Amino acid sequence: MLPALLTVLSIALGFALDCLLGDPAWLPHPVRWIGRLIRVLERLLRRIFPSSPGGERTAGILLVLLTAGISTAVPAGILWGCWLLHPIAFTAVQTLFCYQILAVKSLKTESMKVAKALQAGDLPGARQAVSRIVGRDTDSLDTQQVAKAAVETVAENTTDGVVSPLFFLALGGAPLGFLYKAVNTMDSMVGYRNDTYRYFGTAAAKTDDVCNWIPARISALCMLFAAWIFRRDAKNAWRIYRRDRRNHSSPNSAQTESVCAGALHIQLAGDAYYGGKLCRKPTIGDPGEPVGHRHIAQAVQLMTGTAGCALALFLLLDLTVLRLLF
C-alpha cells in the first residue's frame, strides 16, 4: 500500500511543481528523448520493411509497440531501483517524473504570449508565438484567426497535455504516464494523413485516439464544471457540447473545444491551411463576437479550472480504491 500512497503524493506534488515552474528550457525533458527514440526507430523500421502500404503499416505497429514499451519500462526500472534504495528516493524521482509529464504552466505561458502580442497590436509577433503551439500555417492569419487558433489549442490540449496525463498517472503512476506521453508524441510526429505517413502513422494515430477517448470526455465534463465555477455560460456550453462534440475528424478533439466555444460564446474550428493545403473542417459553436486576446485568457482560465477538477477527481478515486483494497 505504501508505494501506491506515495504515488498519489507524487502526482499531487508533481502537479504543484508544474503549475509553479512550468517547463524550464535548461531542464532536460524526457519527452525530447522520446522524440529522438521515435526518429531512430522510424529510420530503422523503414530500412527493414518494404515501402508498400502493408509494409509501412507493419512498421508503424512495431514503432508503437517498441516506443511505448521502452518509454514505460525505463521509468519503471528507475523507480524500482529508487524503491530498493529508499521510499524517499522513490517519491522524489516519481514527483519529478509527474512534473515533467504535465503541461499546465507551459500551455498557459505559451498561449498568453499570443494574447499579449495581440493586445499590444503586434500581429507578426502573435503569428510567431502561435506558430509554436499549432500545426497549421500561421503566416497569413489575421488577428481573429490567430486568437482562434490559440483558443483551440488551449481547449484541445486541456485533454492532451493535462487531463489524459493525469488519467494515466492515476492509473499506474509515472510509467503509465510516460506510456501516454510516448503515444501522444508519436501521434504528433507521425500521425499524419500525408504522403509520408499515410500508412506508417496509422497505428500511432489510432492508438492516440484510443488512449484519449475516456480522458477527453472526462475533460469535457470537468470543463463544464469549471465554466460553472468561473461563471461562464455553462448552460450554453452544455448545449454546444451536445450538438458539436463530434464536429472534428478526431473523435476526441471537439469534446473540449465545443465546451469552450459554448462557454465563451465564440465559434471555433472551420477551414485552415496545413502545409499550404486547405483543410475543410466544420465549425464548432455559434457565431458570436470576434475572437480576441481576452478569449485566450478566458480559455486558459477554463483549462486551469479543468486541471484542478481532474486532479481532485483522480486522486479521490485513487484514495477510494486504496481504502477499499487495504
Side-chain angles (χ1 to χ4, degrees):
M1 182 176 181
L2 182 57
L5 282 174
L6 292 178
T7 295
V8 171
L9 176 62
S10 296
I11 295 170
L13 292 175
F15 183 89
L17 283 176
D18 177 58
C19 290
L20 288 172
L21 303 178
D23 183 17
W26 56 267
L27 185 66
H29 204 291
V31 172
R32 298 189 186 101
W33 301 340
I34 292 173
R36 295 189 188 106
L37 173 64
I38 292 168
R39 287 298 180 221
V40 169
L41 289 175
E42 179 184 354
R43 288 194 294 268
L44 177 63
L45 291 168
R46 284 188 182 276
R47 291 194 197 105
I48 295 173
F49 290 89
S51 58
S52 62
E56 291 194 2
R57 285 196 181 98
T58 302
I61 292 171
L62 284 175
L63 176 72
V64 171
L65 293 175
L66 290 171
T67 304
I70 294 169
S71 300
T72 306
V74 170
I78 292 172
L79 289 174
W80 175 249
C82 289
W83 177 256
L84 295 177
L85 183 65
H86 198 279
I88 293 178
F90 172 85
T91 305
V93 171
Q94 183 154 224
T95 296
L96 176 63
F97 285 165
C98 294
Y99 157 52
Q100 294 182 310
I101 287 167
L102 298 169
V104 178
K105 181 67 176 292
S106 61
L107 183 56
K108 175 182 178 181
T109 299
E110 294 302 318
S111 58
M112 288 307 296
K113 287 179 183 177
V114 182
K116 290 175 182 176
L118 289 175
Q119 190 172 14
D122 181 10
L123 180 57
R127 287 171 176 165
Q128 183 179 14
V130 82
S131 71
R132 292 194 288 267
I133 57 175
V134 302
R136 72 191 66 181
D137 300 341
T138 61
D139 292 343
S140 61
L141 298 182
D142 60 26
T143 298
Q144 183 177 352
Q145 290 169 330
V146 168
K148 186 170 73 168
V151 171
E152 289 172 11
T153 296
V154 172
E156 181 177 351
N157 282 285
T158 298
T159 297
D160 292 355
V162 182
V163 178
S164 286
L166 280 172
F167 177 80
F168 281 88
L169 286 172
L171 279 180
L176 282 193
F178 277 118
L179 182 148
Y180 171 75
K181 294 303 290 186
V183 170
N184 191 242
T185 305
M186 279 187 284
D187 181 59
S188 66
M189 292 178 67
V190 306
Y192 298 103
R193 296 178 180 176
N194 56 27
D195 293 339
T196 304
Y197 293 112
R198 184 177 306 277
Y199 305 109
F200 186 86
T202 299
K206 295 297 184 183
T207 305
D208 185 72
D209 287 344
V210 171
C211 287
N212 280 305
W213 200 91
I214 293 175
R217 284 143 186 85
I218 295 173
S219 185
L221 295 176
C222 288
M223 189 174 284
L224 283 164
F225 182 71
W228 178 74
I229 290 292
F230 291 122
R231 297 185 178 181
R232 302 298 171 192
D233 194 341
K235 183 178 179 180
N236 191 57
W238 173 247
R239 181 180 69 85
I240 298 298
Y241 170 71
R242 293 181 63 192
R243 190 191 73 188
D244 293 349
R245 67 186 185 276
R246 298 184 182 90
N247 285 7
H248 202 284
S249 58
S250 162
N252 303 315
S253 295
Q255 297 289 319
T256 44
E257 285 189 41
S258 58
V259 175
C260 184
L264 304 184
H265 287 274
I266 56 177
Q267 188 173 78
L268 300 175
D271 299 346
Y273 282 91
Y274 294 84
K277 295 181 180 180
L278 178 62
C279 179
R280 300 284 185 184
K281 300 192 293 184
T283 57
I284 297 172
D286 294 328
E289 59 182 299
V291 185
H293 64 84
R294 71 184 185 89
H295 294 108
I296 301 175
Q298 291 169 359
V300 168
Q301 184 187 58
L302 288 177
M303 181 270 294
T304 55
T306 303
C309 177
L311 176 71
L313 173 63
F314 294 146
L315 294 188
L316 179 62
L317 288 173
D318 270 356
L319 292 172
T320 300
V321 170
L322 287 176
R323 184 176 180 182
L324 291 174
L325 292 177
F326 299 98

